[in-house]
Amino acid sequence: MSTTINRQPVILTGDRTTGPLHLGHYVGSLRNRVGLQATHKQYLLLADAQASTDNADNPGKIRHNVMEVALDYLAVGIDPNLTTICVQSALPALAELSLLYLNFVSVARLERNPTIKDEIQMRGFGRDIPAGFLCYPAAQAADITAFRATVVPVGEDQLPIIEQTNELVRRLNRQAGQDVLLEAEALLSSVGRLPGVDGKGKMSKSQGNAIPLSASNSDIEAAVQRMYTDPSHLRASDPGKVEGNIVFTYLDAFAANPDEVAELKAHYRRGGLGDAVLKRRLTAILQEAVGPIRERRAELARDLDFVMDVLRVGSARGRVITEQTKEAVLQGLGLFRLR
Ligand code: TRP
């Protein structure tokens, strides 16, 4: 067997399969992943097991959305020849590693994780937190380390999870007396979280303020119509505010030509650029961005056998590397091994 040294850094990231992805995911991460797959060894995880940690009563939703998110990946340009797409629940080593890792973190430390604290509050769990949910940072540490990933493209809200992953890596390596696991680094998108079309918080399907990747031209037009601009910009001739005006936030995220956006901003500030004209321009830009994704997605949705094949091949590859890491951890910790 030839031993090729792979110098490409390994990326792992994933999405909970709780719903189809939207434009917030697109600018926050999907667009980056399409770029990164050329220069990195990239794995994408359809995190159905993690999705179960707060959706245990709705397995149908989680199952259905494995395929939906896979369609989103392929539609935006994730190339299965460059990126390995895996289904989390099809990789048993991830669950086994999670259990081992849980012995290297305290309940108090899990409860202190700011991401977990926020999410517990958001979901209104009170004291009735599913144990699996509280423990998901350890499971995510298993995801990241099992693939030997050193780069993890995530949103800012996930930084505490990466920090906790690295804590676990150091504790486990110390116990093993060798560097069995690698520490990882978060890679933040240069564009922050896209606000929802209502301007209230980040774009999120559950908030009803999202534009899905399958949005039609008229969906997009209606969504842009809903967007807040500057409430004191009453007549087109009035000078308007760009800061906090989410039409400009979207233009910054999607317009191909930054000079055009700079020009629109100057015009708006000066007065003489009406909201209707501005919104018409944003509508056209978004329709241009989403159109090819929507069409490719519809095409792929007619060939689900192909998509299933991509997931089968990807998960088989994922199984190999995650099993290797599990073996290394069991060995490193000096646990009993059958021979
Ligand atoms: N927690 C991530 C989210 O909420 C999804 C996820 C699961 C993930 N496993 C991962 C992200 C591993 C990065 C690496 O979207």
Side-chain angles (χ1 to χ4, degrees), residues 12-16 45 47 50 136 140 143-144 152 154 158:
L12 170 88
T13 185
D15 296 278
R16 295 181 192 171
L45 200 56
Q50 191 179 106
Y136 97 70
Q140 193 159 325
D143 298 341
I144 294 166
V152 186
V154 283
Q158 296 280 303

Side-chain angles (χ1 to χ4, degrees), residues 142-162:
D143 298 341
I144 294 166
T145 54
F147 286 91
R148 320 199 68 67
T150 56
V151 183
V152 186
V154 283
E156 209 157 335
D157 60 306
Q158 296 280 303
L159 290 179
I161 310 267
I162 311 297

Side-chain angles (χ1 to χ4, degrees), residues 83-318:
T83 295
T84 303
I85 305 176
C86 307
V87 181
Q88 192 177 37
S89 64
L91 309 179
L94 296 180
E96 297 170 71
L97 284 171
S98 300
L99 270 185
L100 284 168
Y101 291 7
L102 280 171
N103 301 320
F104 292 88
V105 61
S106 69
V107 172
R109 174 66 181 92
L110 288 164
E111 285 175 337
R112 267 201 313 275
N113 185 310
T115 307
I116 296 292
K117 264 166 85 171
D118 286 355
E119 293 188 319
I120 286 172
Q121 176 128 47
M122 230 165 57
R123 288 165 173 73
F125 283 144
R127 284 297 298 157
D128 286 325
I129 308 156
F133 187 82
L134 181 65
C135 297
Y136 97 70
Q140 193 159 325
D143 298 341
I144 294 166
T145 54
F147 286 91
R148 320 199 68 67
T150 56
V151 183
V152 186
V154 283
E156 209 157 335
D157 60 306
Q158 296 280 303
L159 290 179
I161 310 267
I162 311 297
E163 195 180 312
Q164 195 159 20
T165 295
N166 289 335
E167 255 173 61
L168 267 163
V169 167
R170 290 191 289 269
R171 285 199 63 172
L172 212 125
N173 284 347
R174 203 180 324 131
Q175 179 63 42
Q178 52 179 297
D179 286 350
V180 185
L181 301 176
L182 302 174
E183 289 191 46
E185 210 182 326
L187 181 67
L188 290 176
S189 155
S190 57
V191 181
R193 288 300 272 260
L194 200 63
V197 297
D198 56 1
K200 292 185 195 128
K202 63 185 188 192
M203 184 180 279
S204 153
K205 186 174 185 265
S206 59
Q207 296 301 309
N209 63 9
I211 302 177
L213 294 176
S214 55
S216 68
N217 281 345
S218 56
D219 293 340
I220 292 169
E221 197 184 336
V224 174
Q225 280 315 317
R226 275 177 70 194
M227 285 181 191
Y228 282 93
T229 55
D230 169 4
S232 59
H233 184 241
L234 297 174
R235 279 177 299 260
S237 54
D238 293 340
K241 265 217 313 265
V242 164
E243 288 69 33
N245 184 330
I246 67 163
V247 174
F248 283 106
T249 311
Y250 277 67
L251 284 169
D252 279 329
F254 287 95
N257 178 1
D259 293 343
E260 184 197 349
V261 182
E263 171 56 36
L264 287 169
K265 285 179 180 171
H267 193 175
Y268 197 80
R269 286 195 173 107
R270 209 163 56 227
L273 175 56
D275 282 351
V277 174
L278 183 68
K279 284 186 167 185
R280 219 173 296 137
R281 185 64 193 122
L282 176 61
T283 300
I285 286 173
L286 291 181
Q287 287 172 342
E288 217 173 291
V290 173
I293 298 174
R294 180 184 59 238
E295 275 154 39
R296 174 121 179 81
R297 201 180 186 288
E299 218 172 278
L300 286 157
R302 285 191 288 272
D303 192 3
L304 291 180
D305 286 349
F306 165 76
V307 182
M308 188 61 92
D309 231 36
V310 167
L311 300 190
R312 209 168 18 231
V313 170
S315 300
R317 258 190 243 146

